[in-house]
Amino acid sequence: MDALHRHRSMYKGTTPPWKETYRKRCVDRLKNSRSRLLEKYRQIGGTLRCGADRSFLVQEVMEEEWNALQSADSRLPSLWRKDGIGEVYSFMQESDELAVLEEIQQELVSQELLIIEEFEKSMQYEERYLNAVVEGMEEEGQIVCPICRMNYLTVNSHFTSCLCGVYINTRHRNITPTHLQALLESRVTEHMEECLHNPVFSMASSTDGSPNMVISCQVCDYLSVVL
């Protein structure tokens, strides 16, 4: 009896003891592979038309984590072969472990879709804001206030202000509308590279008590001074 059949007979009719460890490691690896996932997503032109058989990273994640699990426990068989998960299924047709693998696979596909959906929402947020900034610059040479998102900022050599109450002393800092626009765009993009959630702009006091415009995110704890 080979290792796979010995393994199947050992846990037949019960939940495999490796299930939760394997599931958690797969989920964690998928989340930590966000950049790689989104790069693959961009490469195919950005489409959510994927299922269990057309996911972006799920099989790769499952293979990598099973191999890592198996290297730590020699009792586990080598399931993945050259034909991928289909090969696994052909060997596990009568095993309860097949249902476990399918369950984990479906969870990972759902997680993958959630990451992509959040990324798309974040991209739409960035696009709307940057479009508003560009339109303001093109139409009136002004920038939409990122805090109230209603009024245009007044930007001159002495201060940057908004009717919503924003007032920042910019004397001797050579701040121009073009420079401020570049700062806003770079901060939004910088946050987007690491987090899927929408950041917020607000006012905060610096160590000397002077007001600053900052961008922050409660989800990833991103914080950066814009002005």
Side-chain angles (χ1 to χ4, degrees):
M1 183 181 295
D2 61 27
L4 180 59
H5 287 84
R6 287 198 302 272
H7 183 73
R8 286 170 55 181
S9 62
M10 188 182 304
Y11 301 117
K12 188 172 183 179
T14 64
T15 299
W18 47 261
K19 176 184 176 180
E20 281 308 309
T21 299
Y22 179 57
R23 185 198 68 79
K24 185 177 185 305
R25 288 176 63 159
C26 284
V27 171
D28 289 345
R29 179 178 285 265
L30 183 62
K31 289 180 179 178
N32 292 333
S33 300
R34 172 182 172 271
S35 296
R36 194 151 50 103
L37 167 59
L38 296 180
E39 181 60 30
K40 284 197 172 187
Y41 178 65
R42 294 187 189 99
Q43 288 174 356
I44 66 164
T47 174
L48 286 173
R49 295 176 185 173
C50 63
D53 59 338
R54 291 190 59 196
S55 60
F56 299 100
L57 278 185
V58 170
Q59 180 170 318
E60 183 178 330
V61 164
M62 292 181 73
E63 288 183 28
E64 290 172 351
E65 283 305 325
W66 183 266
N67 289 337
L69 203 65
Q70 195 237 355
S71 66
D73 186 349
S74 59
R75 293 174 301 175
L76 297 176
S78 297
L79 298 184
W80 267 269
R81 304 189 180 186
K82 64 180 181 179
D83 295 327
I85 198 167
E87 184 78 3
V88 178
Y89 286 176
S90 69
F91 276 85
M92 302 182 75
Q93 288 176 353
E94 299 177 0
S95 173
D96 294 331
E97 290 174 309
L98 173 59
V100 170
L101 285 178
E102 289 177 333
E103 177 186 334
I104 292 172
Q105 183 186 49
Q106 289 301 319
E107 180 180 357
L108 293 174
V109 169
S110 297
Q111 286 283 344
E112 191 176 75
L113 289 174
L114 181 61
I115 291 172
I116 292 172
E117 287 171 358
E118 290 179 341
F119 170 72
E120 287 189 334
K121 290 178 183 177
S122 187
M123 286 294 293
Q124 291 168 4
Y125 167 86
E126 181 184 25
E127 183 177 1
R128 285 196 304 270
Y129 175 69
L130 294 181
N131 283 343
V133 170
V134 172
E135 288 172 7
M137 290 292 292
E138 290 178 347
E139 293 176 7
E140 302 184 32
Q142 296 186 32
I143 300 174
V144 176
C145 175
I147 295 178
C148 70
R149 304 185 69 176
M150 294 176 59
N151 307 305
Y152 288 126
L153 291 171
T154 296
V155 183
N156 58 44
S157 59
H158 297 284
F159 61 84
T160 295
S161 66
C162 176
L163 293 175
C164 69
V166 169
Y167 185 92
I168 303 170
N169 187 337
T170 56
R171 187 186 295 272
H172 307 307
R173 294 172 64 181
N174 298 319
I175 297 297
T176 64
T178 301
H179 183 207
L180 180 54
Q181 178 191 12
L183 288 173
L184 292 167
E185 291 178 359
S186 66
R187 295 299 187 275
V188 171
T189 301
E190 181 180 71
H191 170 262
M192 278 283 298
E193 291 175 350
E194 299 296 334
C195 181
L196 297 171
H197 296 82
N198 295 337
V200 296
F201 290 90
S202 60
M203 296 298 294
S205 296
S206 62
T207 54
D208 62 3
S210 59
N212 289 125
M213 181 186 295
V214 300
I215 179 174
S216 61
C217 177
Q218 293 184 342
V219 177
C220 69
D221 293 328
Y222 175 82
L223 177 65
S224 181
V225 175
V226 178
L227 188 63

